[in-house]
Amino acid sequence: METRPVVSTSADVSNDHEATAARARSDREAFGALYVAHRETVFRYLRARCGSDDDALDLTAVTFERALAAIPRYASRGGGVVAWLLRIARNAVIDQERRRRPLIPQWKAPEHASPDPTPEEASINAEERRTLREHLSQLPPVQRDALAMRYAAGLTASEIGAVIGKSEEATQKLMSRAIARLKEGLS
Amino acid sequence: MSTRANVEDRLSAAFGEPMTSAERSKVEARVARLVDHAPARRRGFGLRLSRSMLLVAAVILMVPLVAAAGVVMLSTEDPYGSGDADAYEAELAAAKAVTPIPPGMAWPSYLDQADDRDASYGTTLGRSMVEINAYCLWLGYWYEAQEAGDAAKVGAAIAALTDARTWDTFTDELTSDQGFRDSIQHNIDAAEAGDAPAVLRELELNCQGAWPPPG
């Protein structure tokens, strides 16, 4: 199966995705095509938004599981199917954070849960992700979401606005503030 | 010194990297299984609905005014379904009414009301919060009984924790992630095996809001 490397925002591709989403309401193969077309986008967003790559993988699966359950109710409301999927992903992250928050501020797995780092965790890029996640976690949730959607998932300001419920202009301002704050933290 | 462009480049490089084949396989295995068995999944949803109906019935008995206003709603903005703070609180109350906790223990006060009245809450979140806290309370009850050598209380805790294994929050792929579910099942295994240090570690790491009870 082919993996889409970046998010395309052209009208033609968007129309194709809308048509696939419409078919996916009753056609399992069409849902499979939807999954292949958008799994990278969803995963990259979650990788920037979650505390670890493993959490991002779990929540990517959860996102598509929920999408499969919700696809009969799908209706395009700004941002198309990408925004719809990222709304599901975003809610999955928020719910996960809420479940963990009252018990302890930062949920920690017991030592025996994952004793060895994966090869990727040992890589330089994984280290860089850890550093950036630490700084991203200091931002307000909506700013964190916007940056994850922009720089990890590759969404446009308009698409991000459709997910977080803000206008394109307000989303751009919000991202500028977030970048400025992140820059300050990284300096 | 970081510049704006430098920050943007770092974000894109760190998080824009494609999934590895191993990562893709992990997600794909779960999604493909569901897509291949979609009819079975729909039956599963039927069962979930039945459980939801029980919760709603309990709410109708307990909070008639809230129930009359419509307890749980499916938002048009949230494809999976969410409710407002009132609906979340009603779900908490309904779940507390049907979820057992150890004798002499009480629910933490943060399960009385939503922490943000303007936020939306996933439709299964209230039940999950209640079940996670009940699990912590029973684990704490087990630990205290084990340390005191009280076999009757240990037995009661084990019975409750064995039942907890089947609660939706600890079995349902749609309400929690696999690592979390595995960790819960592993800790119940530890209690059943009499492993007090492992249980204490879980209590200290992940149950601080619920155990030890205040006062």
Side-chain angles (χ1 to χ4, degrees), chain B:
Chain B
M1 176 90 178
S2 294
T3 64
R4 182 190 171 94
N6 175 244
V7 171
E8 291 176 322
D9 287 347
R10 283 179 68 179
L11 286 170
S12 297
F15 296 115
E17 198 177 69
M19 293 170 106
T20 63
S21 57
E23 288 170 338
R24 198 158 49 236
S25 299
K26 191 174 173 183
V27 175
E28 206 142 303
R30 283 176 62 173
V31 176
R33 195 174 64 240
L34 280 178
V35 173
D36 288 345
H37 297 90
R41 192 71 204 168
R42 281 198 288 276
R43 282 199 295 276
F45 267 74
L47 293 174
R48 282 163 55 77
L49 268 181
S50 298
R51 173 71 185 265
S52 300
M53 286 165 70
L54 283 176
L55 289 178
V56 170
V59 172
I60 289 169
L61 289 173
M62 290 175 49
V63 198
L65 287 177
V66 175
V71 175
V72 175
M73 64 177 188
L74 286 176
S75 159
T76 55
E77 284 305 311
D78 180 344
Y80 183 59
S82 66
D84 59 15
D86 287 342
Y88 171 65
E89 287 169 1
E91 191 186 340
L92 285 175
K96 283 194 284 187
V98 297
T99 306
I101 56 173
M105 289 195 178
W107 294 107
S109 58
Y110 55 73
L111 293 181
D112 290 341
Q113 57 189 38
D115 56 0
D116 181 354
R117 297 225 67 79
D118 297 326
S120 67
Y121 294 81
T123 46
T124 59
L125 181 66
R127 188 187 65 224
S128 285
M129 294 296 291
V130 164
E131 290 181 348
I132 290 167
N133 279 274
Y135 151 83
C136 282
L137 289 172
W138 279 113
L139 213 57
Y141 188 77
W142 178 89
Y143 179 75
E144 288 169 359
Q146 178 79 0
E147 291 300 281
D150 188 330
K153 285 185 177 177
V154 167
I158 290 296
L161 287 167
T162 300
D163 182 50
R165 286 183 187 278
T166 65
W167 294 349
D168 284 1
T169 305
F170 307 139
T171 55
D172 189 348
E173 291 175 344
L174 293 181
T175 58
S176 59
D177 56 88
Q178 186 67 48
F180 175 79
R181 293 194 301 272
D182 288 348
S183 170
I184 296 290
Q185 300 289 345
H186 186 95
N187 288 311
I188 295 176
D189 288 346
E192 286 177 346
D195 187 349
V199 170
L200 180 60
R201 189 165 59 236
E202 166 72 347
L203 288 166
E204 290 176 344
L205 278 173
N206 295 313
C207 292
Q208 287 182 3
W211 187 90

Side-chain angles (χ1 to χ4, degrees), chain A residues 70-96:
Chain A
I71 193 77
R73 300 198 300 276
Y74 172 73
S76 180
R77 290 184 191 86
V81 72
V82 174
W84 180 75
L85 285 168
L86 287 191
R87 275 198 290 272
I88 300 178
R90 184 173 179 237
N91 286 339
V93 176
I94 291 171
D95 279 0
Q96 185 197 52

